[in-house]
Amino acid sequence: MAKKLPKTDIVLAGVGWTGGIIAAELTKKGYKVVGLERGKERKTEDYLMVHDELRYQQRNEMMQDLSKETLTVRHDRSKRALPYRQHGSFLIGDGVGGSGEHWNGLTYRFFPYDFEIYSKTVERYGKDKIPADMPLQDWGITYNELVPYFEKFEAMAGISGETNPHPEVPEVKYPTVPLKETPSMKMFKEASKKLGYHPYIAPAATLSESYTNPDGISRAACQYCGFCERFGCEYGAKASPVVTVLPVAKETGNFEVRTHCVVRKVLHTNGKATGVLYVDTRTGEEYIQEADVVVVSAYALNNIRILLNSQLGSPYNPESGTGVIGKNYAYQMTSAASTGFFKEKEFNLYAGTGSLAGVIDDFNGDNFDHTDLNFIHGGNIALGHYGKRPISNNSVPKGTPTWGKEFKDESIYWTNRSLSVGSQGSVMPNKENYIDLDPTYKDQFGDPLLRMTFNYKDNERNQQKYIRDITTKILEEMGADIINSPGDQEDWDTTKYQTTHNTGGVIMGADSKTSALNNYLQMWDCENVFVPGASAFPHNSGMNPTGTVGALAYRAAEGIEKYLKNGGSLV
Amino acid sequence: MSEQEKNAPYLDKRSSRRTFIKNSGLTVGGVVLGGALGSLLGKDSTTQTHETGVHSTATAVNFNQALMYFDKAQFDTIDAAAEQIFPKSEVGPGAKELLVTYYIDHQLAGSWGLNSKEYMSAPFYPAEASSLFGHQTHLNRQQIFNLGIEALNSEAAKQYKAKFSEITEEEQVSILQAFEEGEVTLNGAVTSTYFFALLKSATIEGAYADPLYGGNKDMAGWKMKNFPGHQMSYANIIEKDEFVKIEPTSLNSQHKH
């Protein structure tokens, strides 16, 4: 029998970026917030031994323990889904701060086009441009409406950046100056400019200079130590929940975090949530935390799972296209990345930071004419200087053996002489890409695992072909002696790291029939449940999602306050 | 080597630590920012000189060179196979000299060998597993290595009437190639291709992981690759046009100072 705990104003299932933002905003207003976090407590001191490629990068120290909970994966409905038994394609964090502790820090705003993608596509190209199996949807909010929330997130995190010079992209003024430019970034920028593109330095959550944010939190500048993505920051230079929003919430005295507590389900009666059921994994005991508002603020995929296991909202049915929970799961693709080998130049590639990059948006969003192209959207193209570590970086020109003497000598020779021009390709929703519960496999408590049905569709495969030619062209212009460009996009490989940008499944929109949430991320079917996170994205754009996740979390915080004051559906 | 030369890199390091503190902009109005760094900078930097003397002694015994998982025969088999994957060459040492097999042994003895952070619940459908979905076997890495080692030796016995570690390098390479191609049957629910991929990735790890794990002896893997290991800051290097070669330091220097 689960033990009932005294009611609180707000309970959070997950204490990462979205939970942290909501905790900070609402505790400042005097509301009591309880944060339930399945992993451990985290502090900057934990990262003193962080320059350890084996522990953090190969063994995924900061990621979810898959022996307790994972998901199953398959390419299409006709197949049996098999467990994602070890980390590969994406890396889900756990512990206080969640994936916000180990992210790269690239902090973009999605484009105005993204938020009204259906309307703008129809307006420019006509209805026929959208394939029948692509449930493309507007987000129920416009870019201009979201600007104040983007600004809040950027000011809180201290984003370092410069204005994107592309004429189609709205101007953004960042609170701190851009990160330093490396010689390879300079080469990328010069080559892109010569080709008529619009390069700029990527907006970064790793601080370019010391900064104090509007909450009074001071942080130091990035040291370019080369251990960023998959690692925590020992300097606190990388914005993370642990060094920004969580101290603000704690300072109010209104915030309590309970670690090692796994939320199993949201409890609800008659369309209203009463609280959550969770297990303290240290004692093994079950608790019910009652609350006026339940915020499902776990990682995007876990948000979907909590709702499905709670039987909250109508599950998506790929047969009929009806139902909303699990709908429009999207991902990204990185298969258009080309690698250039430079005989005459040696770069300091051991240095860098997770968000140090030169980037162009000329082939992203609808910044280029798609009239004669067999896909919509696109992807950004970037040369990143993230810090190359020796176990995971052994690039050799195509045709080199993959082990033995020649491999060894070549991989060592090219270590500091090879550069990659990558692309982060958007993924559009497809009727057949979705999430539901697996009929066979269970987690540590006997609850069903998520089942992911996903593969790249024609839109993505065509997009990849187009963008691969551009990444190759840029490397040619940069003077690479050898260029390896990838082949066509094949079936999704779940073992090879691509991105952790999983989106959709609990999407926002203007219509309760086709979306799960309104534009405050409040559930249409359960007015005191809010579900912030990338799970709210109706499609995935061609850039990193955290900036947009952060903006939407500030929007949700505002909605929660409105709800606590006035009740009812906010839209 | 004179006493002064021996100490030279450490003296350099100490001065670079000072430069780092001076240039990094980490202090604002005398207040140190960043929690973890505060405790780092608070330490007395002179203590590191006598500490570092210990591991610069060439004759020091390496207590790490002992086995946690393999028996001697298994060790010899993997030591020979790893050397073919990452051989000694003009560029520098190979797997044997880097103590890669001790690294693999130590890893197998722990959570990696036991797959303890991976989902290992049934049912398993190894026949439906394509390389796109990762391993779908109930065997953990300890068991897979046991099967792989057995098969390496039985192939060597079948073809050359000797143990794998005793046949010529060319013969070892040809057996490993057959493993990579999946042409050898392991007596269990795993392919030789999968075992080979595990062995290969573990060999690369042993060559380049921080020496704290038992491989990458004397950071020689890093030295070959010009990888500086654990450093506090590259803020003064990041914009430089020319390649900056830095003497590597390991996490030992971070902990024992």
Side-chain angles (χ1 to χ4, degrees):
Chain A
M1 209 30 206
K3 191 179 165 196
K4 253 190 204 180
L5 298 169
K7 194 173 181 181
T8 182
D9 294 323
I10 298 147
V11 65
L12 309 170
V15 184
W17 266 130
T18 63
I21 287 168
I22 283 158
E25 290 306 287
L26 288 147
T27 53
K28 278 194 266 182
K29 302 267 167 66
Y31 294 102
K32 297 278 182 199
V33 178
V34 171
L36 300 172
E37 167 54 47
R38 66 179 176 179
K40 60 183 179 186
E41 180 63 50
R42 281 218 173 91
K43 49 197 185 310
T44 306
E45 287 85 337
D46 295 344
Y47 305 134
L48 277 176
M49 298 294 279
V50 82
H51 292 171
D52 185 340
E53 183 187 12
L54 186 76
R55 175 172 164 190
Y56 288 88
Q57 178 146 11
Q58 308 303 120
R59 302 285 183 264
N60 299 302
E61 169 80 8
M62 299 183 72
M63 311 309 169
Q64 174 172 317
D65 179 351
L66 297 182
S67 74
K68 307 275 194 290
E69 178 190 342
T70 185
L71 70 164
T72 66
V73 282
R74 59 179 177 175
H75 287 140
D76 65 74
R77 272 203 278 156
S78 70
K79 308 264 167 39
R80 187 205 322 268
L82 299 170
Y84 184 73
R85 295 188 183 273
Q86 64 186 114
H87 291 287
S89 189
F90 44 79
L91 299 166
I92 305 170
D94 76 3
V96 170
S99 300
E101 289 297 298
H102 72 79
W103 69 315
N104 280 55
L106 290 153
T107 313
Y108 298 96
R109 297 178 179 186
F110 281 12
F111 301 126
Y113 161 77
D114 281 306
F115 299 101
E116 298 170 88
I117 190 165
Y118 176 80
S119 308
K120 285 182 187 282
T121 302
V122 172
E123 187 187 306
R124 189 167 174 186
Y125 307 106
K127 267 195 169 160
D128 291 347
K129 188 78 182 170
I130 304 170
D133 59 356
M134 187 192 287
L136 206 60
Q137 292 180 217
D138 290 349
W139 290 36
I141 197 163
T142 63
Y143 173 83
N144 285 337
E145 288 172 296
L146 266 177
V147 165
Y149 307 100
F150 275 122
E151 285 172 348
K152 263 190 163 173
F153 183 75
E154 289 155 7
M156 177 274 293
I159 304 305
S160 303
E162 67 178 347
T163 290
N164 187 335
H166 196 282
E168 295 287 322
V169 180
E171 196 184 328
V172 180
K173 285 212 163 57
Y174 293 102
T176 50
V177 299
L179 290 169
K180 297 183 188 202
E181 197 173 83
T182 67
S184 64
M185 284 160 69
K186 248 183 217 142
M187 285 165 64
F188 171 83
K189 283 175 87 173
E190 276 159 21
S192 306
K193 250 184 218 157
K194 263 192 208 148
L195 292 165
Y197 312 145
H198 300 81
Y200 64 107
I201 299 177
T206 46
L207 285 175
S208 58
E209 54 186 316
S210 297
Y211 176 69
T212 303
N213 80 5
D215 290 317
I217 299 274
S218 293
R219 289 162 41 229
C222 174
Q223 296 303 312
Y224 304 90
C225 76
F227 290 82
C228 203
E229 77 280 8
R230 304 197 192 194
F231 304 82
C233 181
E234 76 270 37
Y235 299 102
K238 175 164 73 176
S240 82
V242 167
V243 296
T244 56
V245 286
L246 294 174
V248 172
K250 280 182 187 160
E251 185 67 28
T252 63
N254 294 325
F255 186 43
E256 186 196 341
V257 178
R258 294 181 205 145
T259 55
H260 303 278
C261 289
V262 182
V263 174
R264 288 180 62 189
K265 49 186 75 162
V266 178
L267 304 169
H268 54 99
T269 45
N270 304 323
K272 222 167 159 189
T274 54
V276 299
L277 174 75
Y278 74 91
V279 179
D280 180 334
T281 56
R282 288 190 161 173
T283 63
E285 282 176 272
E286 272 197 337
Y287 294 94
I288 290 169
Q289 176 63 59
E290 298 198 318
D292 287 328
V293 167
V294 173
V295 182
V296 183
S297 49
Y299 184 75
L301 294 170
N302 299 324
N303 281 354
I304 308 169
R305 180 156 182 267
I306 290 170
L307 293 179
L308 288 173
N309 276 330
S310 309
Q311 294 176 303
L312 200 51
S314 53
Y316 174 70
N317 178 346
E319 206 75 60
S320 59
T322 58
V324 290
I325 309 298
K327 179 186 169 180
N328 282 29
Y329 169 72
Y331 191 44
Q332 280 180 329
M333 53 172 202
T334 52
S335 54
S338 300
T339 303
F341 297 85
F342 297 78
K343 279 185 191 145
E344 305 302 326
K345 290 200 178 69
E346 219 174 345
F347 305 91
N348 294 308
L349 296 178
Y350 51 79
T353 182
S355 47
L356 184 60
V359 56
I360 59 168
D361 282 317
D362 295 88
F363 303 95
N364 200 0
D366 203 30
N367 298 338
F368 57 119
D369 186 10
H370 291 71
T371 308
D372 299 322
L373 301 177
N374 48 6
F375 64 93
I376 63 163
H377 214 299
N380 71 12
I381 290 171
L383 181 137
H385 208 296
Y386 305 143
K388 272 192 173 181
R389 291 166 293 269
I391 299 171
S392 34
N393 292 287
N394 288 288
S395 293
V396 285
K398 259 183 198 162
T400 311
T402 57
W403 53 280
K405 182 182 178 302
E406 197 184 337
F407 165 77
K408 178 199 166 189
D409 293 354
E410 291 285 304
S411 65
I412 288 168
Y413 176 78
W414 294 110
T415 287
N416 291 304
R417 292 180 176 90
S418 61
L419 301 175
S420 182
V421 173
S423 167
Q424 199 159 201
S426 63
V427 169
M428 294 304 104
N430 187 282
K431 266 187 80 171
E432 296 292 331
N433 286 340
Y434 68 103
I435 309 268
D436 63 354
L437 291 176
D438 191 274
T440 309
Y441 294 97
K442 311 269 191 256
D443 73 359
Q444 57 182 331
F445 306 115
D447 292 332
L449 296 184
L450 277 189
R451 174 170 65 179
M452 179 184 282
T453 306
F454 176 78
N455 207 352
Y456 295 110
K457 307 296 183 194
D458 285 347
N459 193 75
E460 285 70 57
R461 292 172 197 268
N462 296 337
Q463 181 207 103
Q464 182 268 350
K465 245 184 220 182
Y466 184 83
I467 290 183
R468 158 185 87 187
D469 290 344
I470 320 261
T471 59
T472 307
K473 206 154 71 174
I474 293 171
L475 280 165
E476 273 166 19
E477 188 65 41
M478 284 169 67
D481 297 295
I482 305 166
I483 298 170
N484 286 171
S485 60
D488 287 348
Q489 175 71 55
E490 292 179 21
D491 289 337
W492 177 44
D493 183 346
T494 73
T495 67
K496 201 179 100 208
Y497 185 75
Q498 284 143 81
T499 79
T500 300
H501 306 156
N502 307 78
T503 64
V506 193
I507 66 174
M508 60 192 292
D511 182 350
S512 62
K513 278 198 199 68
T514 53
S515 62
L517 311 173
N518 66 27
N519 65 28
Y520 285 99
L521 310 189
Q522 179 186 32
M523 274 190 92
W524 292 113
D525 290 357
C526 198
E527 62 185 35
N528 64 339
V529 173
F530 289 75
V531 192
S535 44
F537 295 4
H539 73 274
N540 204 356
S541 189
M543 63 190 96
N544 306 61
T546 306
T548 303
V549 167
L552 289 171
Y554 277 102
R555 169 81 181 169
E558 197 180 293
I560 293 165
E561 194 192 2
K562 277 189 184 178
Y563 174 79
L564 283 166
K565 282 190 176 143
N566 309 318
S569 184
L570 298 169
V571 173
Chain B
M1 196 196 278
S2 75
E3 209 44 42
Q4 204 183 355
E5 278 167 9
K6 236 193 269 178
N7 287 331
Y10 302 107
L11 294 173
D12 284 353
K13 191 180 75 184
R14 204 172 50 172
S15 74
S16 73
R17 276 173 56 84
R18 290 213 187 95
T19 317
F20 160 69
I21 295 164
K22 206 171 69 197
N23 295 343
S24 61
L26 283 160
T27 58
V28 175
V31 181
V32 177
L33 299 176
L37 201 73
S39 63
L40 266 182
L41 299 180
K43 292 267 167 75
D44 176 6
S45 63
T46 55
T47 52
Q48 66 181 313
T49 7
H50 15 222
E51 284 291 320
T52 48
V54 175
H55 50 80
S56 64
T57 310
T59 53
V61 175
N62 181 357
F63 296 103
N64 222 307
Q65 274 179 275
L67 298 179
M68 295 182 197
Y69 179 73
F70 289 141
D71 63 27
K72 178 68 169 66
Q74 288 180 312
F75 178 88
D76 290 344
T77 309
I78 293 300
D79 211 30
E83 182 68 17
Q84 294 317 321
I85 291 170
F86 197 85
K88 184 182 175 72
S89 67
E90 301 81 69
V91 177
K96 279 190 187 188
E97 255 179 87
L98 292 167
L99 305 185
V100 162
T101 310
Y102 289 100
Y103 162 85
I104 296 174
D105 171 76
H106 296 1
Q107 287 293 306
L108 278 172
S111 64
W112 185 74
L114 296 164
N115 297 33
S116 57
K117 281 178 78 180
E118 290 165 28
Y119 190 76
M120 295 298 284
S121 301
F124 291 89
Y125 298 100
E128 288 173 35
S130 80
S131 62
L132 301 179
F133 293 108
H135 75 75
Q136 298 293 334
T137 172
H138 65 286
L139 300 170
N140 66 32
R141 293 190 183 85
Q142 288 185 350
Q143 295 165 317
I144 293 170
F145 264 84
N146 289 350
L147 289 166
I149 291 165
E150 239 171 59
L152 284 171
N153 283 311
S154 65
E155 280 304 300
K158 205 161 55 184
Q159 294 182 40
Y160 309 106
K161 304 209 172 5
K163 288 180 188 162
F164 183 82
S165 59
E166 292 164 353
I167 58 179
T168 68
E169 295 197 353
E170 290 70 31
E171 289 162 353
Q172 288 172 347
V173 166
S174 94
I175 289 181
L176 288 170
Q177 277 165 347
F179 268 66
E180 187 183 25
E181 296 303 317
E183 289 162 5
V184 179
T185 304
L186 270 55
N187 191 24
V190 67
T191 62
S192 66
T193 306
Y194 188 73
F195 165 69
F196 181 82
L198 267 187
L199 176 62
K200 188 182 117 188
S201 66
T203 301
I204 303 287
E205 286 172 1
Y208 295 129
D210 192 286
L212 78 89
Y213 294 99
N216 189 12
K217 185 176 187 291
D218 298 331
M219 300 183 282
W222 288 351
K223 284 174 190 159
M224 276 187 282
K225 259 197 168 183
N226 278 328
F227 181 71
H230 161 70
Q231 303 287 331
M232 306 281 284
S233 175
Y234 295 123
N236 296 331
I237 289 162
I238 193 76
E239 291 170 301
K240 287 221 162 101
D241 229 342
E242 72 278 15
F243 187 73
V244 183
K245 209 169 154 176
I246 301 170
E247 188 68 19
T249 47
S250 72
L251 281 165
N252 174 270
S253 68
Q254 166 76 353
H255 187 61
K256 300 286 284 178
H257 71 123

